[in-house]
Amino acid sequence: MHLSTLTRVSALAIAILAPLSAGAVEFVSVGPRATGMGGAGVAVTTDALATYWNPAGLAMTQTVDIRLQAGAQAIDRLGIADAVRDLEDFNPNDSSQANQAKAQDIANRLNRPGANTSLNGSAGLYIKGHIGEHAFGINVSDVATGGSFISNPVQVNGNNISGAMALQGLEVRQVALSYAYAFADKMFSFGVTGKLMQGAAYSGNAPLQGGTELKLTDYFGQATISTALGVDIGAIYRPTSWLRFGAVAKDINQPTFKAPGGGELRLNPQVRAGMAINPYSSLTLTMDVDATSNKTLVPGVKSQLLSLGAEQTILTEFLSFRVGAFKNMQDATTPFTPTAGLGLRIFAFRLDLGGGYDFREKGALASGSISMTF
């Protein structure tokens, strides 16, 4: 398999659904509306996806929502995917000085500090209902993230290039039940989500050899399966009709899964806050920020996102246009990544698409959903 583009690396991750983070779970942007608005969803999500973003949002609208969604994100830091492609294409039988210089260049690119890939994805069925001010939600979903990095430095010996790449991941399949209650004319809303989670942890080490095709799927190994319970809590405060504040704390009980080869993968609590402003009824401006710094499966890479977004609807939500951007505050050199999205509503049917692209790290994300909302 040639790793000529990041898309092909991402496709592999989705196919095996490998990866969530160890030590804490990266806040994956679930759903195209939030994706289109830079990954901001804590204060604005009131459909069935609130079971992921903030269970308190379920009680902010009295609707029934049935939704299917899927999405993925991939980041190629410092062009490691292109370097692996060049390694596969390298001719070890060419003893020329130019080819030896090429071998050293490939090794140097692979060995650069911070060269790695990060991958995440999500998919699931989300359902929301209500009885008066009481709201209920359920989702059956997969949320996954992880990545790869050089574990043994790549070395050059004559025309021979060799090293190793570590592959790590944790897929979490879950059934989640949510309850939310709004009071004081929806000025306040509180929600809780309980999750039955099955973790599938992966770990492997792939040899890197010049002129040899790298088949990552041969080195992930067997998944280590274990189960855990998780608890999320959330709140929304709406002091006026045009202003909302939201906060969610995920995995407050620190769910723990078995790791390959022994040990544990613990999901530490993470806290995220958000704000939404409606200057007028058809325009929403929103912002989210991670209050916690979240580790990932890639050593040295942490995630703490600032997300900004806007949504303009026209013709009573027949069309929705979304733009946004997000930045990892744990990496001062990382620029804001732009995002955009589109929503279409025809009676109860909704179709939503969202995506973004990191021009510096060649990172791409995409999400889509279909739903019926009554």
Side-chain angles (χ1 to χ4, degrees):
M1 178 190 67
H2 285 285
L3 300 184
S4 58
T5 66
L6 185 59
T7 302
R8 299 188 69 172
V9 180
S10 176
L12 170 65
I14 298 167
I16 61 177
L17 280 175
L20 258 186
S21 352
V25 182
E26 273 186 279
F27 219 113
V28 179
S29 186
V30 172
R33 186 183 184 217
T35 296
M37 294 192 291
V42 169
V44 298
T45 305
T46 59
D47 56 36
L49 292 177
T51 57
Y52 172 82
W53 283 101
N54 182 353
L58 293 169
M60 296 303 291
T61 58
Q62 293 180 321
T63 58
V64 174
D65 186 59
I66 303 171
R67 189 170 298 258
L68 285 168
Q69 81 83 32
Q73 180 179 4
I75 300 175
D76 175 20
R77 295 182 179 89
L78 301 182
I80 191 172
D82 287 340
V84 171
R85 176 203 61 191
D86 291 342
L87 177 73
E88 293 178 317
D89 292 339
F90 180 75
N91 181 7
N93 298 317
D94 182 354
S95 59
S96 69
Q97 193 170 21
N99 199 49
Q100 292 179 8
K102 180 179 180 181
Q104 190 60 58
D105 175 69
I106 293 172
N108 292 342
R109 288 158 58 199
L110 289 169
N111 290 333
R112 279 185 293 184
N116 57 68
T117 62
S118 292
L119 311 164
N120 66 56
S122 66
L125 169 66
Y126 299 77
I127 301 173
K128 170 195 171 182
H130 71 94
I131 301 176
E133 302 301 323
H134 303 269
F136 307 89
I138 182 172
N139 78 62
V140 180
S141 60
D142 254 302
V143 178
T145 183
S148 62
F149 54 92
I150 298 300
S151 53
N152 293 337
V154 178
Q155 299 182 359
V156 177
N157 183 10
N159 289 341
N160 182 49
I161 313 174
S162 61
M165 174 181 286
L167 313 168
Q168 296 188 17
L170 174 65
E171 175 197 0
V172 173
R173 310 147 184 162
Q174 65 181 28
V175 177
L177 298 174
S178 301
Y179 167 77
Y181 177 68
F183 57 96
D185 194 27
K186 299 191 185 300
M187 180 179 290
F188 300 98
S189 176
F190 296 95
V192 61
T193 296
K195 301 176 290 186
L196 175 61
M197 311 163 76
Q198 182 188 68
Y202 298 83
S203 181
N205 212 42
L208 299 176
Q209 188 70 40
T212 302
E213 182 181 1
L214 177 60
K215 297 181 179 180
L216 295 181
T217 51
D218 291 344
Y219 299 99
F220 260 97
Q222 293 294 319
T224 299
I225 306 294
S226 57
T227 59
L229 298 176
V231 178
D232 304 340
I233 57 174
I236 290 179
Y237 171 52
R238 189 186 67 163
T240 71
S241 61
W242 54 269
L243 178 63
R244 279 170 287 169
F245 298 95
V248 64
K250 297 179 72 69
D251 298 316
I252 61 174
N253 63 322
Q254 302 187 64
T256 301
F257 302 100
K258 294 179 180 179
E264 297 179 335
L265 295 174
R266 175 171 291 135
L267 308 185
N268 291 335
Q270 64 179 147
V271 179
R272 188 173 176 93
M275 177 178 68
I277 300 173
N278 293 99
Y280 49 89
S281 61
S282 63
L283 176 65
T284 300
L285 306 177
T286 188
M287 177 183 74
D288 277 12
V289 62
D290 285 332
T292 53
S293 173
N294 308 310
K295 296 179 182 179
T296 73
L297 287 177
V298 178
V301 177
K302 293 185 178 181
S303 173
Q304 187 173 15
L305 297 182
L306 170 65
S307 301
L308 305 170
E311 176 185 61
Q312 176 67 62
T313 63
I314 63 173
L315 302 176
T316 317
E317 298 186 10
F318 172 70
L319 287 175
S320 299
F321 299 96
R322 302 164 187 134
V323 295
F326 66 90
K327 174 180 173 59
N328 184 3
M329 297 184 295
Q330 287 293 313
D331 185 354
T333 65
T334 300
F336 275 91
T337 298
T339 66
L342 175 68
L344 172 66
R345 175 183 178 181
I346 303 175
F347 300 108
F349 174 78
R350 295 174 186 256
L351 170 67
D352 293 279
L353 301 171
Y357 189 77
D358 182 341
F359 292 92
R360 176 177 176 270
E361 301 289 1
K362 298 181 181 179
L365 66 157
S367 181
S369 73
I370 55 173
S371 64
M372 298 294 291
T373 304
F374 307 92

